[in-house]
Amino acid sequence: MPIPVLRTACAQRGRSLPEMDRVAVDIAGSPVYVAAVPEADVVPLWSSLRALHESSGWWPVLSGAPSPALPPWEMLDGALDTSALGLGDKHDPVSLLQDLYARTFLIEDTDGAGRHGSPTSKAARFSAAGELVELSSPDPAPNLVHDAADLAQNLIAESRLATPERGSRFAPEPSTPWSVASPSTLLMLVRASAGHEVPALLRWGGAGNHALEGDHHMAVLRHFHEEYGADLVGMTGDVIELLVDRAPTTPGGAALAAMEMYAYCPDIVDQGIGSVAALAEKVAPTSGWFLWWD
């Protein structure tokens, strides 16, 4: 759908789509458009564009305040290469998340080796309470599903011990407004068949420190969409935000989702909420997932 036709469709829904500036060409050769949108219009306009996506072909993404630093399209150089889309489709996201989980649970040793793994790195894993602990001797690689089950049992036990004074440990926090929304938020339109394709189409490099490429993001976000109804809403140079339609509502489901989120984006725990248990209790059951890579 041409942008002028999309603008008319938005107007029929009572929303105003501003004039769009072409800022790049994605890996498939389609233009990437952006425009500044007032904060009050951000969520209603995104919702209208999302509803129109099936007919328009344009996926809306909120990209934060206008800034020359770290735009989501910064890695695009005009080169056309759709191989990332094919790789993203071929990846088994469950196996990928398990690999990321095992790789992430390596602690930097005194020789300065990276936390993502070297032969001399020390192994670590989460305790039942969701705390990262170093292993005293080599153990089998941590298993995401098994560790999620252990965490779920701990959450259930803690919930049974809860009192009115203490409250329930499994207590999701209310969803907060999108962090990518600002007094003047950039709205980006990307021609994609689904939101999970956007990181691959933009050759997004926001998690470069963790060796994640666009095809990896595509596979994980596809999994999050299929399992939890998660749609890409926001993307800056180092942040992805998801609207989650079927967030887990049980300790078991939240524990598994939290383990998957940690495997994909460890910085939200290591430099954020502090433990995977807190992620399971407070974030996984909500409708808004914030993912940030240092």
Side-chain angles (χ1 to χ4, degrees):
M1 179 184 293
I3 295 298
V5 178
L6 179 60
R7 183 172 294 110
T8 299
C10 286
Q12 292 171 345
R13 291 172 169 264
R15 305 299 172 197
S16 177
L17 180 66
E19 292 296 323
M20 309 295 294
D21 294 325
R22 174 172 167 165
V23 295
V25 175
D26 67 25
I27 64 169
S30 296
V32 177
Y33 292 105
V34 300
V37 178
E39 186 174 12
D41 298 337
V42 164
V43 173
L45 181 56
W46 183 90
S47 299
S48 292
L49 289 166
R50 171 65 182 90
L52 290 166
H53 167 261
E54 186 174 350
S55 58
S56 75
W58 294 102
W59 190 272
V61 185
L62 306 180
S63 299
S67 170
L70 296 175
W73 57 87
E74 67 174 341
M75 300 302 292
L76 294 176
D77 56 9
L80 304 184
D81 180 5
T82 59
S83 59
L85 294 174
L87 287 172
D89 279 332
K90 288 180 180 178
H91 284 312
D92 175 2
V94 175
S95 296
L96 174 59
L97 285 167
Q98 170 56 37
D99 290 344
L100 293 175
Y101 184 74
R103 186 181 70 181
T104 299
F105 286 92
L106 295 173
I107 296 177
E108 183 177 341
D109 207 345
T110 54
D111 64 359
R115 71 188 301 277
H116 280 308
S118 74
T120 57
S121 294
K122 299 177 182 179
R125 69 183 303 165
F126 277 133
S127 68
E131 304 292 340
L132 189 65
V133 294
E134 186 176 323
L135 299 175
S136 58
S137 60
D139 273 26
N143 182 283
L144 188 155
V145 174
H146 292 170
D147 287 357
D150 289 343
L151 176 58
Q153 289 302 311
N154 189 63
L155 293 174
I156 292 169
E158 289 290 336
S159 295
R160 287 172 179 166
L161 294 174
T163 65
E165 291 76 19
R166 292 176 57 196
S168 173
R169 186 173 180 183
F170 185 68
E173 294 180 345
S175 297
T176 57
W178 305 112
S179 71
V180 290
S182 66
S184 182
T185 299
L186 281 184
L187 168 70
M188 179 169 57
L189 292 179
V190 181
R191 187 173 289 281
S193 62
H196 59 256
E197 288 187 351
V198 172
L201 285 165
L202 299 187
R203 202 179 293 124
W204 192 64
N209 289 344
H210 295 271
L212 293 177
E213 304 290 343
D215 54 290
H216 301 125
H217 293 291
M218 176 178 166
V220 173
L221 295 185
R222 171 167 50 85
H223 172 72
F224 285 170
H225 176 73
E226 292 171 350
E227 294 298 317
Y228 309 111
D231 275 343
L232 177 67
V233 172
M235 174 186 286
T236 67
D238 55 7
V239 167
I240 282 178
E241 287 194 273
L242 305 174
L243 177 63
V244 186
D245 183 54
R246 300 189 305 276
T249 58
T250 65
L256 179 58
M259 287 292 186
E260 291 178 337
M261 291 167 69
Y262 182 85
Y264 177 45
C265 183
D267 291 337
I268 58 174
V269 169
D270 296 344
Q271 301 185 56
I273 201 166
S275 73
V276 72
L279 194 66
E281 297 157 9
K282 305 297 184 182
V283 178
T286 69
S287 61
W289 289 0
F290 175 89
L291 304 165
W292 167 79
W293 293 263
D294 189 10

